[in-house]
Amino acid sequence: MSSPSLPSRPPHWAVTRTYRKPYKKSTKGCCQYVLFSLKSPSTANLDFIPGPLWKVNLHANMKCDEIYPCSNCRKKYVDASCCKYSLGPRNSEATSKSTSQTQSSNASNASRSPIHRSLSVTPVGINSSHLLELRLMHHYTKSVFSRPPQKPGFALYHSLWDFEVPQVAFSSELVLNALLGITSLNLLSLNPNDQTLFQSAWSHFNKAVVLQRTALDQMDRQNAEPMIIAAILLAHFNWLAACNEQTPHPRKLEVETYNMCKGILDLAQESGPNLDKYSAIPEVTVEAPPGSSLDKHFMDAATQDMKNVLDSLDARNIGRDEKDACHKFAEEIVQIYTLIASGCKDNAGLEQKIVTLLHRVPECFVSLLEVDDPTALALLARDVMCLELIEDSSAWWVHGAGNSKVPPKALHGILDTMPVDYKWTMEFPLQVIGREVQINHNRAMT
């Protein structure tokens, strides 16, 4: 029996062989993809790595396709500059590859091209109005809490702006809008060309006024304190807004603010005993520091100036009550002069004495201001002038800020309102504003 025949082997020329094109690993590509040595995977020195190299993303284990910008960087970054080839210039092959791929991309791939703009710093989900509110709250807290430490006393005056206002604002939309409005106004005085702040100031002010009117119709014990605090903020807003004008009229600056403060007192009295701390302007007691020396040179000039103003009353055809009110106002001013000239550092007490002076004199004096009486205007100018004599003006809700400082704006407004025959009464206040007359405590000690 013959053995079975084995299959014959085909000739070598008939065998089909597969051919694999040799591949050379490249060391060029985006620096966002770290070069690791296959011999030593822990090595990450980009300057020199011995052995075969492979471009691998440190986190996603992805390769770089060596076009510019690479596809991975286009997905991960907005700015094309993030895709960097710092390991040396790309070869001509990679350049031609990038060019051919760019030219052959269709409209659907056009959106993957780099957008030439800087990275956005806006948090996701936050619109521009929220960013402005964050900016305003940051400015308020920074400006209020960075003031020099105040002397003890006047607990309401100190705590109102530091604690009550921000605390109530977090739970009351009314107070929040009033707070953002007055803060926008202050920031606007420091950045007068920012129209966004101008619009924000009046937008929040109008919202607060509407909410205040609605709350008045539905007043109860629960919303009484937010209404009072909002009314205080709106009164200060009116005070500062008047000084944003070129020459504010005294009636708008002083009389309107005075009437708003009277409304606050009436509102607090109607709110019940729980809010007695707002129902009356607290009695202000400010004393000169013990052993202090008075700047006699300033006091002589200020006293002579006040005598000249009061002597002009003799030629005025006004009633005895009005003249007595002017003398009472002048006495209060001289007391403030004395405290400041003696080196008193109780700024909060001095500020409160200055801004509440109209509430401590007969109402007939306010009636004189309403008709632009020249003597009343001259005395009012000296009251506002005292704010300039206080060294610390960090309480911007009283002093103003930037180009809208209250003393110079208010005095120029009074000067424009003053009749020509009485403009001489403005010489001394303008000299104080121009720093021609100053209080020198060193001179007082000498």
Side-chain angles (χ1 to χ4, degrees), residues 22 26 33 69 71 93 123 164 207 229 333 365 367 382 428 430:
S26 173
Y33 300 91
S71 58
E93 180 182 355
E164 269 85 356
K207 289 179 183 178
I229 293 178
I333 293 292
F365 185 86
S367 300
R382 283 148 181 81
F428 184 73
L430 292 177

Side-chain angles (χ1 to χ4, degrees), residues 219-446:
M219 181 177 174
D220 54 27
R221 182 177 297 180
Q222 185 176 1
N223 66 355
E225 185 172 18
M227 289 172 55
I228 295 173
I229 293 178
I232 295 173
L233 293 174
L234 294 176
H236 281 272
F237 184 97
N238 182 78
W239 170 267
L240 298 178
C243 292
N244 273 344
E245 302 176 3
Q246 190 64 30
T247 52
H249 195 282
R251 281 199 301 270
K252 180 174 178 59
L253 178 67
E254 289 281 355
V255 179
E256 287 186 9
T257 306
Y258 167 81
N259 291 330
M260 295 178 74
C261 292
K262 284 193 64 178
I264 296 171
L265 299 177
D266 296 338
L267 180 63
Q269 292 173 359
E270 296 177 4
S271 301
N274 294 330
L275 298 175
D276 283 342
K277 62 181 180 179
Y278 300 109
S279 61
I281 295 177
E283 190 69 26
V284 183
T285 303
V286 183
E287 298 179 353
S292 60
S293 300
L294 190 69
D295 185 351
K296 194 171 183 303
H297 178 77
F298 171 82
M299 286 303 301
D300 289 344
T303 304
Q304 182 61 44
D305 167 72
M306 187 65 73
K307 181 178 181 302
N308 295 336
V309 173
L310 295 177
D311 287 345
S312 66
L313 281 173
D314 297 336
R316 299 293 313 287
N317 187 19
I318 58 176
R320 171 51 54 186
D321 292 341
E322 285 77 6
K323 290 183 179 181
D324 291 341
C326 290
H327 281 278
K328 171 65 175 174
F329 197 95
E331 291 175 4
E332 293 278 351
I333 293 292
V334 173
Q335 290 180 10
I336 297 174
Y337 283 165
T338 305
L339 290 171
I340 299 176
S342 61
C344 179
K345 299 298 183 182
D346 189 358
N347 297 323
L350 292 172
E351 290 164 358
Q352 193 166 353
K353 285 183 72 71
I354 293 169
V355 299
T356 61
L357 181 51
L358 285 179
H359 297 271
R360 300 197 302 274
V361 296
E363 288 193 15
C364 59
F365 185 86
V366 180
S367 300
L368 293 176
L369 291 176
E370 291 177 342
V371 296
D372 296 338
D373 181 84
T375 304
L377 289 175
L379 293 173
L380 179 65
R382 283 148 181 81
D383 179 37
V384 178
M385 177 199 75
C386 290
L387 291 175
E388 186 70 18
L389 296 174
I390 299 178
E391 295 180 357
D392 176 25
S393 60
S394 58
W396 51 263
W397 51 89
V398 175
H399 297 264
N403 296 327
S404 300
K405 295 282 286 186
V406 171
K409 282 296 188 75
L411 292 186
H412 284 94
I414 295 174
L415 179 64
D416 287 352
T417 309
M418 187 72 69
V420 177
D421 294 342
Y422 286 87
K423 286 189 180 293
W424 62 268
T425 60
M426 296 298 297
E427 291 180 1
F428 184 73
L430 292 177
Q431 288 176 351
V432 172
I433 294 298
R435 302 300 177 92
E436 298 176 29
V437 176
Q438 300 184 55
I439 293 177
N440 190 335
H441 298 294
N442 295 329
R443 178 174 57 199
M445 294 175 61
T446 304

Side-chain angles (χ1 to χ4, degrees), residues 24-243:
K24 182 180 180 181
K25 295 182 175 64
S26 173
T27 61
K28 300 178 177 62
C30 175
C31 292
Q32 300 292 342
Y33 300 91
V34 184
L35 299 180
F36 286 97
S37 170
L38 296 181
K39 290 184 177 179
S40 178
S42 63
T43 305
N45 183 1
L46 298 182
D47 296 331
F48 174 73
I49 303 177
L53 300 174
W54 191 257
K55 290 182 286 299
V56 182
N57 181 277
L58 184 60
H59 302 288
N61 196 29
M62 298 167 62
K63 302 177 183 179
C64 177
D65 53 11
E66 296 191 20
I67 63 175
Y68 183 78
C70 67
S71 58
N72 295 318
C73 285
R74 282 203 301 268
K75 295 176 182 178
K76 187 175 181 181
Y77 302 102
V78 176
D79 195 345
S81 63
C82 294
C83 187
K84 299 179 181 179
Y85 287 78
S86 63
L87 293 178
R90 292 173 292 165
N91 53 30
S92 58
E93 180 182 355
T95 304
S96 60
K97 179 181 177 181
S98 174
T99 305
S100 62
Q101 290 187 8
T102 304
Q103 293 177 350
S104 62
S105 61
N106 52 23
S108 62
N109 293 328
S111 60
R112 300 175 61 187
S113 61
I115 302 174
H116 298 286
R117 68 168 186 260
S118 59
L119 287 172
S120 174
V121 295
T122 304
V124 177
I126 303 294
N127 57 36
S128 58
S129 63
H130 292 160
L131 286 177
L132 178 59
E133 292 171 359
L134 289 173
R135 177 188 176 192
L136 295 175
M137 289 302 298
H138 172 264
H139 175 73
Y140 177 83
T141 54
K142 181 180 178 181
S143 60
V144 169
F145 287 94
S146 62
R147 291 181 299 151
Q150 305 294 319
K151 287 192 173 184
F154 309 113
L156 175 61
Y157 186 89
H158 289 158
S159 66
L160 179 64
W161 297 92
D162 295 350
F163 301 105
E164 269 85 356
V165 169
Q167 183 177 11
V168 177
F170 285 126
S171 59
S172 171
E173 185 181 2
L174 168 60
V175 177
L176 179 61
N177 278 282
L179 173 61
L180 295 177
I182 192 173
T183 306
S184 299
L185 205 59
N186 172 248
L187 201 54
L188 177 63
S189 64
L190 301 174
N191 304 274
N193 296 325
D194 193 339
Q195 290 301 311
T196 303
L197 294 173
F198 177 84
Q199 296 171 1
S200 172
W202 289 102
S203 173
H204 287 295
F205 174 79
N206 293 332
K207 289 179 183 178
V209 170
V210 172
L211 292 172
Q212 182 82 324
R213 291 173 179 172
T214 304
L216 285 171
D217 296 335
Q218 305 171 354
M219 181 177 174
D220 54 27
R221 182 177 297 180
Q222 185 176 1
N223 66 355
E225 185 172 18
M227 289 172 55
I228 295 173
I229 293 178
I232 295 173
L233 293 174
L234 294 176
H236 281 272
F237 184 97
N238 182 78
W239 170 267
L240 298 178
C243 292

